[in-house]
Amino acid sequence: MSATRQRLLSIFGGSVGNLIEWYDFYVYSAFSLYFAQAFFPDADPLVQQLNTAGVFALGFLIRPVGGWLMGLYADLKGRRSALTVSVTLMCLGSLVIAVCPTYARIGVAAPIVLMLARLLQGLSLGGEYGTSATYLSEVATSRHRGFYSSFQYVTLILGQLLATLTLLVLQRLLLTGPQLEAWGWRIPFGIGAALAVFGFYMRRNMVETEAFTREAATKARHHPMRELLRHPKEIAVVVGLTLGGTLAFYTYTVYMQKFLVNSVGLTRDEATLISAGSLFLYMLLQPVLGFVSDKVGRRPVLMGFGILGTLCTVPLLTALTRTKDAFTAFLLVLAALVILSGYTSINAVVKAELFPARIRALGVGLPYALTVSLFGGTAEYVGTRLKLAGHEAWFFWYVTACIFCSLLVYTVMPDTRRHSRIDP
């Protein structure tokens, strides 16, 4: 088998597993409008959404533990092995949610089981990002690393899109609203568990990266956490680079469907169609901007996101709250996602290029997971809480401020395309 074909197969295997993991994780958000009452019976639908958003955020709070454990494992035992473990954990979490009894059946134990399943999924996803980013960056060639590594977000977005399309098919073709609320919401979690089994077998057949193999061949003993702490500048860059991007990403993807229903006033079906259409076009942009970064550098692409995100976030979100037209809402959401592509298309490869091979998965995964837990995972909860308090516009300025902080980092950081630590 040629080296090029082997590389493409490895990228495909890593990407398919990544797609399945993110489908499993996003199904929770896509179907929360339907199963909220099953676990949190309350007369106010907004309070139900607040509770489910809190459990969603809890899945993010455990992600730093996953980033730490899986990063250590990937740097000591191999990228392929760590990716296989992470997809197994995701399978278990989805299966538990699919069969979990409701509050009416087992009382308060129901939301507790839901919480434990989300913690398991969060542990999995915490390790998935850093290890997947490391794997895809290491198997790609230096000339096309931005392009190939952008497929991490192609599959991430595709996983979210498939979750949304699953909802759309069930809404429009197979089940009624009452059926979805009664039992239909379990179907996508069952599908996710089955897909994760497929992902497990795909990842078992992937090759290990040359970068890890070279490092393992030296047989030099090292302590990854101790060595990671010798790179405080790189850790700070990962945190600063991630801060605004992750908050914007979860605002315009995960939270947006609820925002379109609760703040814009669209129907659930309209919100689902807008999410599906905008996410599909957003997905197609990722390799385009990844390719651009291979030509002009990583920093100009990041700067584009930082500048436009700082200037346009408040106007875009404000305009959304003032429109009642679904097509106008679609165009506004799509505009926001076009801006966001400057971050999502290349953020993984930038982080991987900052660290040496022996601590790369840990260096990418742990600070990223910490930042996502604090800002990305809480986006939906903060947005819903501020709306409940009557200060929704404060959330728009909060997102803007975080993007501006990241813009400051983009301004002073080195262009990692020219100073990559992946190439020997």
Side-chain angles (χ1 to χ4, degrees), residues 240-263:
L241 181 140
T242 305
L243 171 61
T246 190
L247 178 56
F249 177 77
Y250 285 100
T251 297
Y252 289 117
T253 58
V254 174
Y255 178 50
M256 185 49 60
Q257 192 168 353
K258 270 77 73 179
F259 183 85
L260 291 172
V261 173
N262 296 326
S263 298

Side-chain angles (χ1 to χ4, degrees), residues 2 23 29 47 55 75 156 159 167 177 211 306 326:
S2 68
Y23 165 85
S29 179
V47 174
V55 176
D75 286 331
L156 187 157
L167 174 59

Side-chain angles (χ1 to χ4, degrees), residues 119-235:
L119 288 175
L120 194 62
Q121 289 187 320
L123 192 68
S124 166
L125 211 58
E128 171 69 20
Y129 176 88
T131 310
S132 179
T134 298
Y135 186 85
L136 292 177
S137 298
E138 288 180 348
V139 298
T141 58
S142 58
R143 290 181 57 193
H144 306 292
R145 188 168 288 133
F147 173 75
Y148 283 126
S149 63
S150 71
F151 282 89
Q152 179 177 24
Y153 264 79
V154 170
T155 52
L156 187 157
I157 297 163
L158 186 56
Q160 184 173 359
L161 183 59
L162 288 176
T164 304
L165 289 177
T166 301
L167 174 59
L168 189 62
V169 169
L170 291 176
Q171 280 179 334
R172 294 297 185 90
L173 302 177
L174 300 179
L175 300 176
T176 64
Q179 286 175 325
L180 275 170
E181 291 182 352
W183 54 269
W185 58 267
R186 297 182 185 275
I187 294 173
F189 291 103
I191 293 172
L195 287 174
V197 174
F198 170 73
F200 173 83
Y201 286 105
M202 286 289 297
R203 287 185 162 179
R204 287 196 65 179
N205 295 321
M206 294 191 316
V207 297
E208 188 54 84
T209 67
E210 292 182 8
F212 176 79
T213 303
R214 282 196 306 268
E215 185 63 37
T218 65
K219 298 184 179 180
R221 297 187 63 183
H222 67 286
H223 299 83
M225 277 302 299
R226 188 181 303 170
E227 187 164 343
L228 178 62
L229 294 176
R230 296 174 187 157
H231 296 78
K233 182 178 179 181
E234 288 80 1
I235 293 172

